[in-house]
Amino acid sequence: MNILAIETSCDETGIALLRVTGGLRAPRFEVIENLVASQIPIHRPFGGVVPNLAKREHLKNLPILFERLKKALRAEHHALKPDLIAVTVGPGLEPALWTGIGFAKELAKEYKVPLVGANHLEGHLYSFLLPSRSSKAYASALLPKKIFPAVALIVSGGHTILLRMESFVKWRRLGETRDDAAGEAFDKVARLLDLPYPGGPEIEKLAARGNSFAITFPRPMLDQKNYDFSFSGLKTSVLYYLRDAKLAKQKVNKADVAAGFEQAVVDVLVAKTRRAAQECAAESILLCGGVAANKHLRRALARTAGLIGCNFFVPDFKYNLDNAAMIGAAGYMAHLRKKRYPLRANGTLDV
Ligand code: KG4
Ligand code: ZN
């Protein structure tokens, strides 16, 4: 089955074409094209995503990306013959989501194929199944490894969620953040340090030059016997640290602040995921969402998984941030399990 997928939930416009086989138990995804137009330079002066600007940019970028997709396919002598179209219906910014839904509806009419709504968070969840190249090698090498039961950590700009997964389609929520998402904390602390948006990659770069032991920031909720998170207090302690240093006219080593903050986030995410994996007797730990691009977090969680005898799965670097390939995967799974998300924007859609 060929799936054409559209993603416009936030500040990346994405269009992808996937060839999929294998069904619900052993899905295999071949990514034929995965095009992303990032709006980061447009939103950067505002320090975050401006919904109406995002909408305007998606409307402009969607037809351009679609033409690029057709051109790329022609160059490789592929025909664009989708069997299914998938589009993100939530969660995300509703004005942005509507642009993708409208565009996908037009395409479904033009190609006379069904249209399925996809859940952006399920896209992140399945993104570890996407191959790093247009080859089936990765997916087939991956599947013989034991995956389920799995503990999945979704860490993005809007979400921090721990799930226990029984299969690719059955899971239950163990915990989530009670306030800011992990990515949001990275973005807010970056702003305190005068770093540009999005803050995650900037903090990671700066932290690499700092000493993570120099400043000890709190590890919120680390000792609580639940699987919830809280990051807003951590952000406030960074704010107070910077304010106190300014009042005392002390020079601040920003790299040490970044490293201390990053270490605190990583410690909490890893400790809670480890306990969940042990208590669920998990075969594997899955890490996904934009913050999964953080190398420090990837390394720490991979090491922990090894220590407790779990397999560790994380998407290839090109599928951590928002993209349409993962939406193709989520659309395929939703289609097979007959999960019908209404074809309208749902900003607070959950997993
Ligand atoms: O999944 P994503 O692209 O969008 C949402 O669905 O929210 O995640 C974006 C978030 C942003 O908050 C960004 O700062 C964070 O992921 N992020 C990172 C890194 N790269 C992106 N956080 C920490 N380290 C990174 N390298
Ligand atoms: Zn996302």
Side-chain angles (χ1 to χ4, degrees):
M1 177 184 265
N2 288 318
I3 302 187
L4 178 61
I6 315 275
E7 152 67 29
T8 62
S9 69
C10 192
D11 56 353
E12 322 277 359
T13 316
I15 296 193
L17 185 67
L18 275 71
R19 191 172 297 140
V20 298
T21 55
L24 285 178
R25 290 170 64 86
R28 285 186 184 191
F29 301 101
E30 187 185 346
V31 180
I32 299 168
E33 288 295 337
N34 183 36
L35 305 176
V36 182
S38 176
Q39 304 176 3
I40 285 174
I42 309 240
H43 298 286
R44 188 164 267 167
F46 302 93
V49 183
V50 184
N52 277 325
L53 274 183
K55 171 183 164 178
R56 188 192 75 187
E57 288 301 302
H58 288 309
L59 284 173
K60 189 181 87 192
N61 289 335
L62 281 165
I64 299 173
L65 277 192
F66 189 59
E67 282 311 309
R68 264 179 54 200
L69 172 78
K70 288 200 282 195
K71 202 170 155 197
L73 290 175
R74 269 199 304 275
E76 293 162 29
H77 307 288
H78 276 296
L80 178 55
K81 281 198 195 137
D83 302 296
L84 182 73
I85 296 178
V87 64
T88 312
V89 293
L93 303 168
E94 293 194 357
L97 289 162
W98 277 118
T99 64
I101 295 169
F103 193 75
K105 280 185 175 169
E106 292 296 315
L107 290 179
K109 245 188 264 164
E110 186 181 333
Y111 287 92
K112 298 187 179 59
V113 291
L115 173 61
V116 284
N119 181 324
H120 183 87
L121 295 173
E122 291 175 13
H124 279 305
L125 214 45
Y126 296 132
S127 54
F128 77 103
L129 292 165
L130 299 169
S132 52
R133 285 167 284 118
S134 287
S135 111
K136 292 182 186 142
Y138 183 78
S140 50
L142 169 78
L143 287 172
K145 283 197 191 168
K146 278 214 153 186
I147 302 177
F148 302 110
V151 163
L153 175 65
I154 309 176
V155 266
S156 70
H159 297 85
T160 301
I161 303 174
L162 259 181
L163 300 175
R164 178 196 160 106
M165 295 180 77
E166 305 305 330
S167 71
F168 284 120
V169 293
K170 191 167 171 227
W171 56 75
R172 98 184 142 75
R173 182 183 294 246
L174 297 172
E176 67 192 312
T177 183
R178 294 188 181 173
D179 41 57
D180 292 352
E184 193 179 353
F186 270 95
D187 295 336
K188 287 179 174 172
V189 167
R191 219 173 300 154
L192 296 176
L193 294 173
D194 301 314
L195 297 169
Y197 174 85
E202 301 290 332
I203 296 240
E204 176 167 12
K205 242 186 286 165
L206 187 60
R209 292 194 270 118
N211 172 2
S212 61
F213 297 105
I215 310 161
T216 306
F217 290 115
R219 269 75 175 146
M221 302 185 71
L222 191 62
D223 299 323
Q224 291 187 20
K225 289 242 164 286
N226 56 38
Y227 297 115
D228 285 344
F229 303 92
S230 163
F231 293 107
S232 96
L234 173 57
K235 168 208 66 195
T236 308
S237 8
V238 175
L239 174 75
Y240 289 164
Y241 177 87
L242 295 172
R243 187 197 60 185
D244 293 348
K246 196 171 174 190
L247 287 174
K249 295 194 167 54
Q250 275 165 3
K251 199 172 170 327
V252 169
N253 183 329
K254 287 189 179 180
D256 286 350
V257 175
F261 163 77
E262 186 188 56
Q263 189 64 53
V265 175
V266 168
D267 282 355
V268 175
L269 292 174
V270 168
K272 293 241 165 177
T273 308
R274 175 188 178 134
R275 189 158 58 75
Q278 284 176 310
E279 284 178 14
C280 295
E283 291 287 352
S284 77
I285 292 175
L286 316 183
L287 171 65
C288 63
V291 183
N294 186 284
K295 294 192 199 75
H296 190 165
L297 175 62
R298 289 164 92 95
R299 270 200 304 269
L301 210 47
R303 201 178 317 118
T304 297
L307 284 176
I308 61 172
C310 281
N311 287 317
F312 177 66
F313 299 111
V314 66
D316 187 82
F317 277 106
K318 64 179 178 231
Y319 303 119
N320 290 296
L321 300 179
D322 294 347
N323 64 85
M326 71 182 200
I327 298 308
Y332 176 65
M333 302 300 263
H335 177 69
L336 291 186
R337 65 195 247 249
K338 301 195 168 41
K339 173 96 194 157
R340 299 276 174 263
Y341 288 108
L343 288 168
R344 50 170 193 269
N346 180 351
T348 55
L349 185 66
D350 225 332
V351 270

